[in-house]
Amino acid sequence: MMLRVAMDQVVRGLVSASKSIIKCRRLEGKVAIVTASTQGIGFSVARRLAQEGAKVVISSRREANVNSALAQLKAEGLEVSGVICHVGKEEDRHKLLNETISKYGGLDILIPNAAVNPAVGSVMECSESVWDKIFEINVKSTFLLMKESLPYLRKSKSPSIVIMSSISGYQPFSLLGVYSITKTTLLSLNKTVAEELASEGIRVNAIAPGVIKTKFAKALYESEEANEATLSVIPMQRLGEPDEVAAVAAFLASDDASYITGETIVAGGGMRSRL
């Protein structure tokens, strides 16, 4: 246990140090939208994109969360703006896109990160209403935002979409059955849309995070028993940090990944995912 605590402290120190030495400006002049980006992975992605020079529009369903995140990011000297957006509402998605174009004049990077999991349990115990809610936010809103953003992305010189899937899309979590199904669906959405849009120069890729230390994944590590069970399937023997996922997103959104489309990068500490 003491060794694990020491390892966690080292990882936090390395991640903290990396924030202060980021000098790469791969996204200079680009405009990005990151949904559900006021905390957790979404917040770290928004911050990393802005650190690399992008003008970033963050969003959340709650005004207080948007204001809090904006204050923190602006205090770091980053170029960010915020919009209240429930991705399941058409009018909110349109407002997000319209305000982005109005403020920054275009769109180069779209990262639909919003996801929900309102119930824990097996697939066959899931109610119809819960099934519909999870698919509405995790899959349908991702698809619709991608579709609605196309007129703007088509005007970009290097447009990129990065879908946020999950390692559970490859290896389902028993208590997150329907959530896992939606994340598998996003893997297929990624492959299919990437092929459709490749001829237009729009790259589409995905990230499949493993167990990342966020509030969303708290049930997988908050108790000692849950933490031990989770670490037992992670070869690196630690949880991931949101900034480690953000680094992957920045790479995929940048021209360093200019010949990559239709791919999914697993950031899971070596967890089993695929061949």
Side-chain angles (χ1 to χ4, degrees):
M1 179 63 71
M2 291 181 63
L3 177 60
R4 185 168 297 127
V5 171
M7 287 176 63
D8 286 343
Q9 290 174 339
V10 169
V11 170
R12 284 195 294 270
L14 290 173
V15 171
S16 177
S18 70
K19 295 176 186 176
S20 64
I21 62 175
I22 292 175
K23 297 178 181 178
C24 189
R25 303 286 290 184
R26 294 177 294 187
L27 305 178
E28 196 78 56
K30 295 181 183 294
V31 177
I33 288 175
V34 185
T35 64
S37 45
T38 59
Q39 59 185 342
I41 290 175
F43 179 80
S44 288
V45 169
R47 174 197 270 160
R48 178 59 181 262
L49 299 188
Q51 287 173 333
E52 293 214 18
K55 298 177 178 67
V56 182
V57 179
I58 66 172
S59 70
S60 170
R61 291 177 298 170
R62 297 180 176 85
E63 182 177 10
N65 290 355
V66 172
N67 292 338
S68 176
L70 282 178
Q72 184 174 344
L73 294 170
K74 288 183 176 181
E76 297 176 15
L78 301 175
E79 178 63 48
V80 293
S81 182
V83 176
I84 301 167
C85 177
H86 185 312
V87 294
K89 296 180 178 180
E90 181 180 14
E91 61 271 26
D92 279 17
R93 295 193 305 272
H94 288 177
K95 182 178 71 172
L96 175 62
L97 289 165
N98 291 336
E99 292 197 18
T100 299
I101 302 307
S102 175
K103 186 171 183 63
Y104 295 125
L107 178 64
D108 305 285
I109 301 164
L110 175 68
I111 302 184
N113 174 66
V116 297
N117 186 60
V120 175
S122 70
V123 172
M124 300 312 294
E125 294 174 345
C126 181
S127 68
E128 182 178 359
S129 61
V130 169
W131 175 282
D132 288 344
K133 179 66 174 178
I134 299 177
F135 266 85
E136 177 192 10
I137 301 302
N138 296 11
V139 178
K140 184 179 178 180
S141 70
T142 296
F143 158 68
L144 289 174
L145 188 56
M146 290 167 63
K147 183 177 181 179
E148 292 157 355
S149 70
L150 281 182
Y152 310 109
L153 290 172
R154 284 176 172 137
K155 297 177 182 179
S156 170
K157 293 181 180 179
S158 55
S160 176
I161 299 173
V162 181
I163 297 170
M164 200 62 67
S165 181
S166 166
I167 200 164
S168 68
Y170 290 111
Q171 295 292 332
F173 294 160
S174 60
L175 294 180
L176 304 177
V178 180
Y179 173 86
S180 299
I181 293 171
T182 65
K183 292 302 183 175
T184 304
T185 306
L186 291 180
L187 296 176
S188 180
L189 179 67
N190 173 50
K191 300 288 285 187
T192 305
V193 176
E195 186 171 338
E196 287 185 8
L197 297 181
S199 63
E200 299 187 54
I202 301 175
R203 296 186 301 104
V204 184
N205 292 289
I207 304 174
V211 183
I212 308 300
K213 203 165 188 179
T214 64
K215 181 180 179 181
F216 190 86
K218 199 172 182 180
L220 298 176
Y221 66 83
E222 62 180 341
S223 72
E224 184 173 352
E225 182 180 3
N227 190 58
E228 290 292 335
T230 298
L231 292 179
S232 71
V233 297
I234 304 175
M236 288 184 70
Q237 284 293 289
R238 68 173 178 84
L239 304 181
E241 296 287 340
D243 285 349
E244 293 176 299
V245 180
V248 179
F251 163 68
L252 287 174
S254 77
D255 290 341
D256 281 349
S258 59
Y259 199 51
I260 300 175
T261 195
E263 294 297 330
T264 299
I265 295 181
V266 176
M271 289 179 69
R272 291 177 57 193
S273 57
R274 53 187 173 181
L275 291 176

